[in-house]
Structure formats: C-alpha cells, structure tokens
C-alpha cells in the first residue's frame, strides 16, 4: 500500500484531480500504452484502455464535423476552464478548512482524502467536482480548483460577481461618461445633417439659388439700341430705326 501511495504521488497535479488523470494518461501514452508499465505504477490497464477508446471516438466525431483538434499543451488553465464549463452546476465554495458548500443547493461537502487537493497548504476558494460520495459525510470525488470569475463567465445564469462600493461607483462613472460621449456624437451628427440640408435646399422667398442665376447681360451701347419712332434722341435728333 505504501508503494502504491508513493507511485500515485508521482502523478499528482495539486490543482486538479482531472489534471492528475490527464497526467496519468499522458505518461501511459509516453510509455507506449504498455500493460507492464501500468502494473509497475499500480494502475488499471483496462481503465486506461477504455479512456483511449473514448478519445478515439471523440477524435472521429471532431474529424467528421471538421472541428480542428488542437492541444492545450502545457497550459493546464485551459483544461481547468473546460472542466469548469462542464461542471459549473457542481460548484462549491470554501466555508472552512477542507469543508465546502454547494453554491446552488447549499449542501455541505468535503474534499475526499484521496483527492490531489486534500492536505494542500492553501485550499482553493472555489472548486467543481464530478460527483458526491456519501459515507459518514458527503465527499467530493474528482475535484478541480477553479476561479470564481470563471463561474460567473461560464455559468452567468447561476452566478454573478459581487463588486465593492468603490467598484460600483467607478462603473457608474464610466457609464455616465459613455452616455455623455454618445450624446455629444449624436448632437454633432444632427448639426452636420442640418448643415448639409441647408446647403442643398433652394433659397426661400422666391429668390433663386446663386448657382441657378443667369449671367448678367452686357450694357447696351448707342449703336445697338432700338430706336423708337417719335422719341427724340440726344441733341434733338430723331434716331434712325434699325440695328447695327
């Protein structure tokens, strides 16, 4: 038993039991899916083989749906966020050392002694778990530490963040500034629209638009005037009727 516990500790990821299982699978794959490797590390070969079959089925489904298969690599936070998005309804908040309470049902639950999170120096404030096991207490099995902001982001229909008075005051000020900025933009657009209409519309009171006025006629000279009978011209002469 001591050897099994020592072998198990080699695979522990302190933040998550799910990540611990993922680490076990990755180490088994690196060992060539060998059954003897499982026996040497006190692991169930059939359980790992079943996990391999499920992974192959999921890969085929993703390929059939043209979904790219991208690995998270060493960024385990992406995996924890994925676990949080699937189990946010099993979220619990720390109430005492090792004691949690479900955020939706208010049922108290405890970290299982076999969990990777059990006995840590700092207990996470929020966790999600796969299932509850009832013995003398309600124990959480397969538990993962998550951030409270992830719960509000991935399960907004159940969770929301509580902000301090200073944060709420700052948010109201930002909202007021945004509203003022939008109002000023609206007034500028309205003035610009009215100015364009004034330039495009014809002038009122019957006065034609300056662009539509006819050019002024040149002043008539004495040689080009129309002579009127009976009207005396300059110096008493009677001008001759005609055009030059």
């Amino acid at each position: 038993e001591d050897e099994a516990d020592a072998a198990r500790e080699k695979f522990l990821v302190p933040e998550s039991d799910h990540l611990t299982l993922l680490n076990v699978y990755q180490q088994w794959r690196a060992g060539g899916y060998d059954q003897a490797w499982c026996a040497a590390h006190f692991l169930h070969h059939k359980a790992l083989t079943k996990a391999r079959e499920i992974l192959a089925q999921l890969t085929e489904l993703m390929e059939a749906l043209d979904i790219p298969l991208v690995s998270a690599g060493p960024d385990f936070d992406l995996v924890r966020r994925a676990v949080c998005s699937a189990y946010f309804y099993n979220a619990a908040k720390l109430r005492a050392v090792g004691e949690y309470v479900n955020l939706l049902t208010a049922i108290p639950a405890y970290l299982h002694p076999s969990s990777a999170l059990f006995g840590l120096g700092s207990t996470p404030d929020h966790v999600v778990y796969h299932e509850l096991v009832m013995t003398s207490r309600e124990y959480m099995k397969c538990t993962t530490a998550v951030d409270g902001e992830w719960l509000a982001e991935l399960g907004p229909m159940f969770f929301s963040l509580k902000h301090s008075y200073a944060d709420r005051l700052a948010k109201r000020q930002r909202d007021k500034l945004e509203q003022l900025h939008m109002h000023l933009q609206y007034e500028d657009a309205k003035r610009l629209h009215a100015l364009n209409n004034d330039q495009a519309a014809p002038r009122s009171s019957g006065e034609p638009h300056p662009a539509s006025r006819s050019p002024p006629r040149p002043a008539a000279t004495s040689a080009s005037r129309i002579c009127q009978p009976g009207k005396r011209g300059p110096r008493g002469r009677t001008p001759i009727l005609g055009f030059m």
Side-chain angles (χ1 to χ4, degrees), residues 1 17 19 25 36 72 82 108 130 141 187 196:
E1 184 178 353
D17 293 333
L19 292 178
Y25 182 84
H130 179 68
K141 292 218 52 173
E187 292 295 332
N196 292 335

Side-chain angles (χ1 to χ4, degrees), residues 41-172:
H41 292 86
F42 301 92
L43 297 172
H44 293 283
H45 182 261
K46 289 185 177 180
L48 289 172
T49 302
K50 184 66 175 178
R52 185 183 181 185
E53 293 174 356
I54 294 173
L55 176 60
Q57 293 174 3
L58 293 175
T59 303
E60 291 177 0
L61 289 175
M62 294 179 67
E63 291 176 351
L65 296 175
D66 293 330
I67 301 176
L69 184 62
V70 182
S71 173
D75 190 0
F76 279 173
D77 284 348
L78 292 178
V79 182
R80 289 198 298 134
R81 285 177 62 90
V83 173
C84 181
S85 66
Y87 291 104
F88 62 83
Y89 53 87
N90 280 345
K93 183 179 180 180
L94 181 66
R95 184 164 65 179
V97 178
E99 181 182 357
Y100 288 83
V101 58
N102 189 292
L103 290 174
L104 297 181
T105 62
I107 296 176
Y110 297 83
L111 288 173
H112 197 272
S114 63
S115 174
L117 282 73
F118 187 83
L120 289 178
S122 58
T123 309
D125 293 333
H126 298 87
V127 297
V128 294
Y129 56 89
H130 179 68
E131 62 181 352
L132 290 175
V133 177
M134 181 63 183
T135 55
S136 59
R137 292 177 173 179
E138 292 275 4
Y139 285 104
M140 298 179 292
K141 292 218 52 173
C142 219
T143 309
T144 292
V146 297
D147 292 343
E149 295 180 356
W150 296 354
L151 294 173
E153 177 186 352
L154 301 173
M157 66 290 295
F158 296 113
F159 310 108
S160 62
L161 295 176
K162 290 184 178 180
H163 299 282
S164 63
Y165 174 76
D167 293 337
R168 293 196 300 269
L169 183 61
K171 184 178 183 301
R172 283 198 291 266

Side-chain angles (χ1 to χ4, degrees), residues 196-211:
N196 292 335
N197 288 340
D198 291 342
Q199 293 178 354
R203 297 193 176 186
S204 58
S205 69
E207 183 179 356
H209 194 273

